[in-house]
Amino acid sequence: MARYVATVPSSMSAEAAFAYMSDLRNFAEWDRGIKKVEQVSGDGAGLGTVFDITVRGKGGKDSVLRYETLEFDAPKNVLVKGRNNMFTSVDRVTVTPTATGCDVVYDAVLTANGIYWPMNFVLNRVFKKVGDAAVAGLRKKLA
């Protein structure tokens, strides 16, 4: 299991930042590791919405995780869970108003599934690199 947590300050209102972060179709705008996002169920953000997120893989071997929104408490908290045969990702976004906008906390846990579980021992190192790149993009979008 690997965990990545980052806090991104934003000049956006908490409502605007939450709306942006809770709609997974926006993930490809700030995370260069995501190739595309397709909404499978629902319309935009909301409880029970489902998205297929294609993640860029090494050597052109992309991977698709199906994400479902499990918690949706606007404008402060959203929890999504993505899964495929290799990995499960649980991502929580928490938005807190500040005097100048808001703070967005992105908290993601990545776990290798089944026969891939030995990968859990090395996931932290890789996940940190991927997370740092994604958060750099997020900082630009939420500025």
Side-chain angles (χ1 to χ4, degrees):
M1 176 183 87
R3 185 170 185 203
Y4 187 89
V5 181
T7 300
V8 178
S10 175
S11 59
M12 297 171 81
S13 69
E15 293 78 12
F18 180 85
Y20 182 78
M21 293 300 298
S22 63
D23 188 341
L24 274 61
R25 295 175 296 182
N26 295 323
F27 276 29
E29 290 183 9
W30 55 269
D31 186 343
R32 67 180 184 199
I34 295 176
K35 190 172 185 177
K36 69 177 179 175
V37 179
E38 294 180 65
Q39 188 151 16
V40 176
S41 177
D43 183 21
L47 188 62
T49 56
V50 179
F51 301 83
D52 282 346
I53 296 183
T54 303
V55 179
R56 296 179 201 281
K58 286 192 173 195
K61 292 187 178 187
D62 298 338
S63 178
V64 177
L65 285 93
R66 175 152 291 180
Y67 275 82
E68 181 177 357
T69 305
L70 301 177
E71 294 177 15
F72 188 86
D73 304 312
K76 59 184 176 180
N77 173 61
V78 64
L79 178 75
V80 296
K81 181 177 182 179
R83 184 174 173 83
N84 64 16
N85 66 325
M86 288 184 70
F87 298 104
T88 298
S89 182
V90 178
D91 303 33
R92 180 178 301 279
V93 175
T94 307
V95 181
T96 306
T98 64
T100 58
C102 66
D103 283 337
V104 176
V105 177
Y106 190 82
D107 186 345
V109 176
L110 183 66
T111 307
N113 300 327
I115 62 170
Y116 302 103
W117 73 266
M119 294 175 64
N120 284 316
F121 297 106
V122 296
L123 275 179
N124 266 326
R125 193 173 316 131
V126 174
F127 202 38
K128 179 172 179 3
K129 184 178 177 183
V130 170
D132 286 348
V135 166
L138 186 55
R139 287 185 195 286
K140 291 178 185 174
K141 285 292 179 180
L142 293 179

